[in-house]
Amino acid sequence: MSQFQEAAATLEKELGNAPSTAVVLGSGLGSVFEGAAHTGTVHFDQVPHFPSVTVAGQRGVLSSVDVGGVAVCVVEGRLHRYEGRSLAEVVFPVRALALWGVKRFVLTNAAGAIKADFQPGDLMVARDHLNLLGENPLIGPNLDQLGPRFPDMSRPYCRTLIDLAYRSAAELNIRICEGVYAAVPGPSYETPAEVRMLRALGADAVGMSTVPEVIALNHMRRPVLAVSCITNMAAGMISAQLDHRDVIAVGKRGSEKMQQLIGKIVEFIEH
Ligand code: HPA
């Protein structure tokens, strides 16, 4: 607990009062808000107990960004289980941000389409998820100051935020879809048989992140919206093989739409 408090105190010192909304950027989505006015920046290694960041295409930076007159905290440097991190490390930044005072979280990621109607470049809002990581970030002694031992997960994604995403997309003329996100450990992509299994389980998209943070934030009763950039059809759905560079490249191309969508959502929330 004291580690989260020390981290939160450093964020307060470096960046001032917590903005109401934080946006966590996924792989390939680092350029979201790149062009927006940054009013403060702190590197993960300046914040006590924050994990360091290793995956290619990610840097560990927290920024205060002015999005249409509203301050938003943008987190670049998501941690993944496949890097050998414990899930406690993976969720450390969002827990510290929530303790700092951030009220709601928009989590973004790159994901493969399981549903045949989806196309690379689409944005999918998560309605629900499947935690197939075989682990849970809340395993271990419960931190009662953060939340209950057995948190409810019957509404893991905030319906109000999902509705705002639809309103924002309509206003921007952006196509968004909704679905169930399956989190797998990675780092190998799925086999075609695994993709068929995920579809049979009810997944619409698959990725290697987000769900640990969603669980930790539900534990702390913080509303969450998750937006996936569909970067590829999952293995076996088309003849092409999967290449991480393509995933990053499509994510980059989806960044602009993602930025517009999140910008509009933030505008709706605050006004
Ligand atoms: N599978 C798992 N994770 C992913 C994928 C995928 O196809 N695309 C982007 N992240």
Side-chain angles (χ1 to χ4, degrees):
M1 209 45 222
S2 63
Q3 295 192 346
F4 299 119
Q5 277 154 351
E6 281 172 38
T10 301
L11 294 174
E12 177 96 21
K13 190 165 123 264
E14 298 291 332
L15 298 173
N17 286 340
S20 303
T21 307
V23 180
V24 178
L25 301 180
S27 308
L29 297 167
S31 56
V32 175
F33 297 122
E34 209 172 53
H38 285 50
T39 53
T41 297
V42 48
H43 289 261
F44 277 23
D45 56 15
Q46 292 171 264
V47 186
H49 317 295
F50 255 54
S52 60
V53 174
T54 59
V55 73
Q58 299 249 5
R59 33 185 218 140
V61 188
L62 272 137
S63 313
S64 290
V65 175
D66 183 315
V67 179
V70 178
V72 170
C73 178
V74 177
V75 185
E76 211 186 316
R78 136 104 38 69
L79 302 146
H80 301 83
R81 180 68 187 99
Y82 61 73
E83 296 167 80
R85 305 303 188 143
S86 68
L87 291 189
E89 284 178 277
V90 170
V91 302
F92 189 92
V94 292
R95 281 175 154 173
L97 287 167
L99 274 188
W100 175 30
V102 174
K103 291 199 192 72
R104 69 182 80 80
F105 288 78
V106 180
L107 308 176
T108 68
N109 59 55
I114 301 280
K115 191 170 173 170
D117 304 357
F118 293 173
Q119 289 165 19
D122 279 348
L123 298 183
M124 184 194 90
V125 168
R127 172 174 62 238
D128 202 342
H129 71 224
L130 292 165
N131 177 14
L132 301 174
L133 297 171
E135 282 179 72
N136 188 302
L138 307 181
I139 290 174
N142 186 53
L143 294 169
D144 294 331
Q145 291 114 305
L146 298 186
R149 171 75 289 188
F150 299 107
D152 176 46
M153 288 294 287
S154 56
R155 289 187 190 88
Y157 299 89
C158 171
R159 194 67 232 179
T160 309
L161 290 176
I162 295 175
D163 290 343
L164 273 182
Y166 277 114
R167 257 179 72 195
S168 305
E171 188 140 319
L172 294 163
N173 228 348
I174 289 176
R175 176 185 129 106
I176 58 166
C177 38
E178 188 177 321
V180 174
Y181 175 91
V184 296
S188 50
Y189 287 115
E190 300 68 44
T191 65
E194 287 164 348
V195 169
R196 289 194 297 275
M197 172 191 76
L198 292 169
R199 188 175 302 118
L201 292 177
D204 299 305
V206 57
M208 305 172 191
S209 68
T210 308
V211 163
E213 291 99 315
V214 173
I215 294 171
L217 290 168
N218 271 267
H219 183 229
M220 296 179 78
R221 298 195 184 84
R222 293 303 191 283
V224 178
L225 176 73
V227 188
S228 299
C229 178
I230 301 294
T231 51
N232 56 281
M233 302 312 285
M237 293 179 70
I238 53 169
S239 58
Q241 293 187 323
L242 284 178
D243 185 328
H244 184 63
R245 286 169 298 194
D246 298 336
V247 168
I248 296 291
V250 178
K252 280 215 167 77
R253 275 186 263 133
S255 292
E256 190 168 338
K257 259 199 309 190
M258 186 72 93
Q259 172 166 342
Q260 288 179 337
L261 181 72
I262 296 173
K264 189 57 84 181
I265 292 170
V266 168
E267 192 185 309
F268 276 140
I269 290 172
E270 305 276 341
H271 297 117

